[in-house]
Amino acid sequence: MDVSTGDIDAPHSMGTTIIGVTYNGGVVLGADSRTSTGMYVANRASDKITKLTDNVYLCRSGSAADSQIVSDYVRYFLHQHTIQLGQPSTVKVAANLVRLLSYNNKNMLQTGLIIGGWDKYEGGKIYGIPLGGTILEQPFAIGGSGSSYLYGFFDQAWKEGMTQEEAEQLVVKAVSLAIARDGASGGVVRTVTINSEGVTRKFYPCDKLPLWHEELEPQNSLLDILSAGIPDPMVS
Amino acid sequence: MSSIGTGYDLSVTTFSPDGRVFQIEYAAKAVDNSGTVVGIKCKDGIVLGVEKLITSKMMLPGSNRRIHAVHRHSGMAVAGLAADGRQIVARAKSEATNYESVYGEPIPVKELAERVASYVHLCTLYWWLRPFGSGVILGGYDRDGPQLYMVEPSGVSYRYFGAAIGKGRQAAKTEIEKLKLSEMTCRQGVIEVAKIIYGVHDEAKDKAFELEMSWVCDESNRQHQKVNNEISQDLLYIHAKS
């Protein structure tokens, strides 16, 4: 997620795929786990879905440092707000606090964020807060460099009122599609499901993800491929 | 209940030997001597009513308002020194807009009441400030439904389903207690509040008065609205009949 250290003139790599989706009863947040510094993968198992409060989580993309500091500030403000109000903060309030920091410091920050959570007044909600500090409440939101490959996919695959299983499968499928095409996204898929009952974290390692097109199955050794006796997969 | 402080009542930063702060109690007297202010919480909203005593026949009706809108969803009726009340309302308005610009949602009524109470209390802590000589009844409708709060000059704030301050508060409270508020809509509540105000008005001591009312309810789309005087005219008639 950091700025390329190799060629200074190389374009910045956002290096992420983040997704937030509402379903009938809550939200599902999903992300890949690759933190890249140019060509180098700094962390192949990072957790880009950060907790703000018990009922509100944040997907981070862009500069790692910027998104971390924003989430730390918002967590602090929300904690105080919860104490003052005497009840959990709403997702809208959390999103607004993130938006104010993003907008007022737009010259210094480079971070695209997706807020997702559940509160008793509005139910499950997703808010997208891209680079300039716009706030947009959406039924689903995508972000990061890998999201470019998902716009058409979501236009076709998104439906109103999905079940929790449908929503989770959609998120996992989408992140794995983005990982297949985007060099800056990779690793594992992490999801966080938030509803009235609470929060559930799930983890999908590489071998649990669907394979797309020309991708090979994970193998322990090339000798296994050769001794399998099947036509040589390296030759078409 | 007039007790002389005898030296312990000169400053708001002095306690008496029996643990009272006399200046705050004297401030409350200013509220007790003003026109009655009543607020009730019906099942679908809040109704506020003020007995506005008219000091001069040359005053234009409808001026010198005692009920103010604090935000779209809440209003405040003040009793006691009018100028002090205006300051409290200004502070409440400022708190409400500030909260919304930071948190992105209208200020919950409970939070607003706490902030107003905090501010009123603040002015009882320093010798260079005097306590506010006015109490307010704050009514608002937020996501947790309609709520009614009263803030006294001491800075104390409680949530009520029926509250009254000013001259006729004892009689008003008795009348409120007779009402079945949980079954009443605001439309009926407006009539009841007007009846109470007309009822507690002392014809002998204070000649002219103007009835000022407002509501926040489902019918007003959860916005704070002034209640028209056409309703008051009907009530004058009802009251004259009874």
Side-chain angles (χ1 to χ4, degrees):
Chain A
M1 281 206 271
D2 271 321
V3 175
S4 167
T5 52
D7 185 357
I8 314 168
D9 298 327
H12 289 323
S13 167
M14 290 293 193
T16 310
T17 308
I18 50 172
I19 298 178
V21 151
T22 58
Y23 71 90
N24 186 19
V27 298
V28 179
L29 300 175
D32 73 310
S33 69
R34 177 171 291 182
T35 307
S36 47
T37 316
M39 290 293 110
Y40 174 66
V41 176
N43 185 350
R44 62 182 168 99
S46 41
D47 182 7
K48 301 179 186 177
I49 309 178
T50 318
K51 174 173 157 171
L52 293 181
T53 69
D54 288 339
N55 56 316
V56 181
Y57 278 66
L58 171 72
C59 294
R60 300 180 293 113
S61 78
S63 156
D66 289 353
S67 61
Q68 282 173 7
I69 206 78
V70 166
S71 84
D72 286 347
Y73 270 115
V74 174
R75 193 178 306 120
Y76 168 64
F77 294 139
L78 279 176
H79 185 224
Q80 290 190 317
H81 188 242
T82 305
I83 292 171
Q84 269 190 302
L85 242 53
Q87 59 185 39
S89 301
T90 57
V91 190
K92 190 175 191 180
V93 164
N96 203 55
L97 289 171
V98 173
R99 178 271 292 239
L100 285 176
L101 282 172
S102 264
Y103 177 76
N104 289 325
N105 298 295
K106 61 160 80 195
N107 294 326
M108 291 186 284
L109 294 174
Q110 195 177 69
T111 164
L113 304 160
I114 297 179
I115 315 272
W118 184 94
D119 62 62
K120 70 180 190 223
Y121 299 108
E122 303 272 344
K125 285 284 175 193
I126 294 283
Y127 291 85
I129 302 175
L131 239 44
T134 324
I135 180 171
L136 197 54
E137 200 249 297
Q138 299 164 298
F140 68 88
I142 54 179
S145 60
S147 68
S148 317
Y149 308 102
L150 295 176
Y151 284 99
F153 172 73
F154 267 94
D155 284 342
Q156 201 246 15
W158 160 259
K159 317 192 294 265
E160 190 71 46
M162 291 184 281
T163 64
Q164 183 177 326
E165 284 73 40
E166 284 175 333
E168 279 178 7
Q169 275 160 23
L170 178 66
V171 167
V172 172
K173 186 173 180 183
V175 179
S176 79
L177 277 168
I179 287 174
R181 290 294 180 182
D182 179 29
S185 299
V188 303
V189 176
R190 295 190 194 273
T191 65
V192 173
T193 307
I194 313 173
N195 51 32
S196 57
E197 280 141 44
V199 176
T200 320
R201 265 192 180 275
K202 290 209 175 107
F203 166 79
Y204 300 84
C206 320
D207 54 351
K208 293 282 186 301
L209 299 175
L211 291 170
W212 304 109
H213 303 300
E214 292 85 38
E215 283 181 330
L216 296 171
E217 298 227 354
Q219 301 284 357
N220 285 330
S221 157
L222 272 176
L223 289 174
D224 291 343
I225 304 176
L226 292 170
S227 58
I230 48 173
D232 192 340
M234 303 294 182
V235 177
S236 63
Chain B
M1 187 197 80
S2 56
S3 43
I4 308 166
T6 334
Y8 298 111
D9 61 347
L10 298 174
S11 161
V12 79
T13 53
T14 309
F15 277 96
S16 73
D18 51 347
R20 294 153 68 178
V21 184
F22 281 104
Q23 278 296 313
I24 298 180
E25 293 184 24
Y26 297 161
K29 289 261 183 13
V31 179
D32 293 343
N33 291 335
S34 89
T36 315
V37 173
V38 155
I40 56 169
K41 172 174 131 52
C42 308
K43 73 176 178 199
D44 66 334
I46 306 282
V47 181
L48 301 172
V50 177
E51 173 206 11
K52 195 167 69 183
L53 300 168
I54 299 178
T55 43
S56 158
K57 286 206 180 72
M58 289 190 274
M59 228 169 70
L60 221 57
S63 71
N64 206 30
R65 301 225 62 122
R66 298 271 292 282
I67 300 184
H68 304 90
V70 168
H71 203 51
R72 288 181 300 277
H73 64 0
S74 49
M76 202 177 249
V78 304
L81 302 178
D84 288 15
R86 217 177 11 255
Q87 277 301 96
I88 299 179
V89 169
R91 180 72 186 206
K93 286 179 180 171
S94 156
E95 292 283 2
T97 43
N98 177 257
Y99 182 97
E100 183 153 4
S101 62
V102 170
Y103 295 106
E105 59 168 14
I107 186 169
V109 188
K110 173 170 179 273
E111 182 68 20
L112 178 61
E114 275 171 16
R115 291 190 182 198
V116 170
S118 221
Y119 179 62
V120 169
H121 176 242
L122 188 79
C123 301
T124 66
L125 293 173
Y126 301 102
W127 60 264
W128 65 81
L129 286 174
R130 64 164 175 79
F132 281 105
S134 58
V136 301
I137 296 187
L138 164 67
Y141 202 147
D142 64 20
R143 272 193 303 223
D144 296 315
Q147 290 153 69
L148 184 70
Y149 289 87
M150 181 162 87
V151 183
E152 296 167 24
S154 57
V156 135
S157 154
Y158 287 118
R159 187 173 164 184
Y160 294 90
F161 52 81
I165 38 180
K167 276 193 201 145
R169 67 186 176 287
Q170 297 290 36
K173 277 188 224 174
T174 323
E175 288 303 310
I176 293 174
E177 277 168 32
K178 291 183 195 161
L179 301 172
K180 286 215 181 67
L181 291 170
S182 52
E183 291 160 25
M184 201 185 287
T185 62
C186 277
R187 256 224 170 245
Q188 299 159 321
V190 162
I191 315 263
E192 294 301 329
V193 164
K195 273 200 231 164
I196 292 172
I197 302 269
Y198 272 96
V200 304
H201 176 66
D202 191 339
E203 282 295 333
K205 287 215 191 122
D206 316 298
K207 294 287 151 49
F209 84 102
E210 198 186 313
L211 171 64
E212 205 183 307
M213 283 200 293
S214 76
W215 68 1
V216 200
C217 56
D218 292 336
E219 213 183 304
S220 74
N221 211 16
R222 302 193 183 184
Q223 315 269 12
H224 181 254
Q225 283 177 353
K226 302 285 161 69
V227 168
N228 287 332
N229 273 329
E230 282 91 59
I231 304 187
S232 331
Q233 293 293 47
D234 295 333
L235 300 162
L236 198 50
Y237 178 59
I238 297 170
H239 183 76
K241 271 186 28 182
S242 62

